[in-house]
Each structure stands twice: as C-alpha cells, then as structure tokens.
Amino acid sequence: MIHFYQLNGYNIVLDVNSGAVHVLDDLSYQLVSALGEGRDQLAEECPQELITRFGPAYGADKVTDAYRELYELYQADLLYSADGYEKFAGMMTSAPIKAMCLHIAHDCNLRCGYCFAAQGDFGHGRKLMPVEIGKKAIDFLIEHSKGRRNLEVDFFGGEPLMNFQAVKEVVRYARSLEQEHHKNFRFTITTNGLLLDDDSIDFINREMHNVVLSIDGRREVNDRLRYTPNGKGSYDVIVPKFKKLVEQRGDKEYYVRGTFTKYNLDFSNDIEHLYNEGFDQISVEPVIADSKIPYALTPADLPRIYDEYDALAQKMIRRKKAGKCYNFFHFMIDLDQGPCAIKRLRGCGCGNEYVAVTPEGDIYPCHQFVGFEDWKMGSLIDGTFDTKRKEMFAKANVYTKSTCKTCWAKFYCSGGCNANNNEFTGDILKPYQLSCDLEKKRLECAIMIKAAMADSETA
C-alpha cells in the first residue's frame, strides 16, 4: 500500500507497510501516480504504456531510468512492500495494566463550554476522591501491572488542584511502595492553573514526570469558552502562573494543551501566540462535539482547517530554518523508528493497558468513558474487574476495524480514539470519519515538514 500527495512543492510517496518516505522528482512522482496501487503489475522492464505516455515530455531514456529506480525500491521492500503486520493482529491478547487515569476530582472551578466531562462532574455530581480510594487505586495498579516496572498515573479531573492534598498523599503512598514491589511511578497532572501557587508549583515540578497546562491560546479565544462559574475569563489569571511553573521546571516535560473550535479556525495564530508567550511544547486539538452545537467542527469546515494546518506547517518550517521553533504535538512524528508494532496496531491501550478510576472507585476503560455506566469495568470497593471486556479492548486493532484496514494512515493513528468512535458511531470498531480526516491531514503536514528540513540540510 502506498499514499502519494503533493504539498508545499514536494512530491511525497509514503510506503505504508515499510514506513519509508520518498521525496520524488516530477517524473518519478508521475510514474507512481500512473501505477497507483499497482504492486502486482510491477515488472522488471518499464511498461511500454509508461514510455508512450511520458516519453514525449521527458524522453524514453529518462522514463526507463526513473522506472528502474522505482523498481529497485520495490525490490528493496521500500515501495509497494508487503504487509508484515496483519499476521500479528490475531496475537493481540490482554496485557498487564501499565497506566491509570486517576479522577482525583469530579469538580472544577471552570465551566468550559466544550467540556466533555459535563463541566467537571461527568454527569454524576460533584465530588472529590477520598485518599483511601486513591491508595486502593495504586494497589490495584501494582497488582494488575504484574511484571511491568514503569507505571504511569495521571491525576485528572475536573480540576485536580481542588483536591491537592489527596494528590500529595497518593504520590507519597505510591513512592513508599516502589522499592518493595520493584516499581517506578511516573506521575502526570492536568490543570487549568487557577489554583497554582508556590507550593503546588514546587510539588508538581518535583514529583510530576509531565504536566499538562490547559489554555486555548489568545485571550479572546481562551476566555470565550474557558470561563469561571461567574462568567469571568481565565486567561489573565493562569498565564502568569503557567509561565512561573515552566520557568522553574527546567528540562522536565510539560505541554500547554488547547482546543480549537469553529470560533477560531485560525488556530495557528493561537499556537504562535502561545509560543510568543514563552511556551515551546504545544498541543491545540480539534474539539469533538455534536455537530448541532454552534462551536462544533463539521465536514464543511475541513477545507478551512486543512488550509490552517498547511499555514502552521509553513510557519514551523520558517522557524526551524531560523534555528528556533516549538514542538507541536500533532506534527511530532518519528520516521526512523516510530512506535512498536503493538502500539501501531492498537494505539493507546484503552481498556487493556490503561484504565480510569473515579472518586467512587469505579473502573472504566479510559477517562472519556467515565460516566457511561454501560462501560463500567469494575470497582475497587468490591474488587470486581471485567477481564472479558479487557480482552475485547485488547483485540481492537486496525485489522478488526474494517475502514482502518485499508487506510494509509492506520499505523500512525492506530485506529483512532475508541471513546470517540463509540460516542459518534456507536461502535469502538467504527472510526469517527471527521477525526480520521483531520488526522490524515496532520500526518501529511508532519511528513512534509520532515522532507523540508531534510532538504534544507542538504541544500
């Protein structure tokens, strides 16, 4: 399987199964375009029809030479390569749990208009996680991680800092068990920043492997949908606090995470704004919402969004060539090694390697399934855990999702978000088309940026 496209003056061909990326001259690209998915039609000698078609413009010798180079790539399994992954799909089995989203607070001091968590309480009333539930969650993760050493816990909400003392105590408890159980905990916290102070900044920068700082970009964009219960915007309060945290964080990981909606389809300007404010690790992601909601993205918005991703890619190339740029989460791609085969096939590990725990101790496949009672997998209180459902998620991969199986982007998106698939198509195995379209565009831009930077290095 191949995918070929033209962007920013580059003729790009992705060999899907090998992961090889080729930047071709015009003649070679036209030959690939003419061959299409013609793996079975490739012969050692250049087909006469290609010579007849392209010879008048380029000359017969150049056509045969270009074809020969393509054929050599084919022989080297770098073009039209065979699928070496599908044979592993049937081997996908239940794995030890390695990561947990700990819903330390089902309450929030913001009322963000697009919040998937019903402004923080996930539709089940505002509550904070008791420390004892947090400790039980750590015990559960240790037990079900089996031989895994490195474990991840994400403190999530709502707003985790509304239950900050519990965060501290759960971290302390987990650390006390590391040596005994041969585990290494890596903590992450996601915060809207309103409650950040010197104490929480110091603790986060000391104990958290990563921190996610929620902000949508420019003041007018952020404050339109990220506001307090009394309707006041959050931008002016959080930006100084985020800057202080990042300045004191050193080289530890962090990123600012925003959402773009129909209201700011010029979101590349929000990304540039965040960088100019001092943040160089940035994620601004498309809102996922019912199309009837005014701010929701719809297929009609795709041309404008595609243009904006192209504009963002151009801005990043200019900055990279100037010697300083930011990392944009959706354009970060490793073409040399990339993720392991298992992650390519089934993605984030939702419901299998990763679970979420609520303040009541209920267990769900991930944070976006929380509140949907039909997806509850068990409880820390009564010790139940649905291993059959865990096995079901383990088997969900790009070869059990029919539309993914024939998609060129499958090894990069790994079948999309199971929770979004379920919400918008009613089936975790049926990808949400709008998300697919956006992901494919981002991948094209990410690959093109790599091509442009490689080109500049050899210029």
Side-chain angles (χ1 to χ4, degrees), residues 303-365:
R304 177 68 183 84
I305 296 172
Y306 290 170
D307 288 345
E308 197 64 15
Y309 278 128
D310 287 341
L312 175 60
Q314 293 277 5
K315 291 176 182 179
M316 291 186 67
I317 290 169
R318 288 195 293 271
R319 287 194 178 276
K320 285 177 180 289
K321 288 181 177 179
K324 194 170 184 181
C325 191
Y326 43 84
N327 284 324
F328 176 62
F329 181 80
H330 281 302
F331 285 177
M332 295 172 67
I333 187 172
D334 183 355
L335 297 178
D336 297 318
Q337 182 175 351
C340 67
I342 290 176
K343 191 166 183 65
R344 286 180 184 271
L345 296 187
R346 69 182 176 201
C348 70
C350 160
N352 177 37
E353 297 177 304
Y354 168 76
V355 295
V357 174
T358 70
E360 302 93 336
D362 293 333
I363 305 167
Y364 286 86

Side-chain angles (χ1 to χ4, degrees), residues 218-233:
R218 294 161 291 180
R219 178 185 288 103
E220 63 272 20
V221 169
N222 181 84
D223 288 354
R224 183 166 188 171
L225 289 171
R226 298 186 63 81
Y227 42 77
T228 62
N230 64 7
K232 292 185 65 176

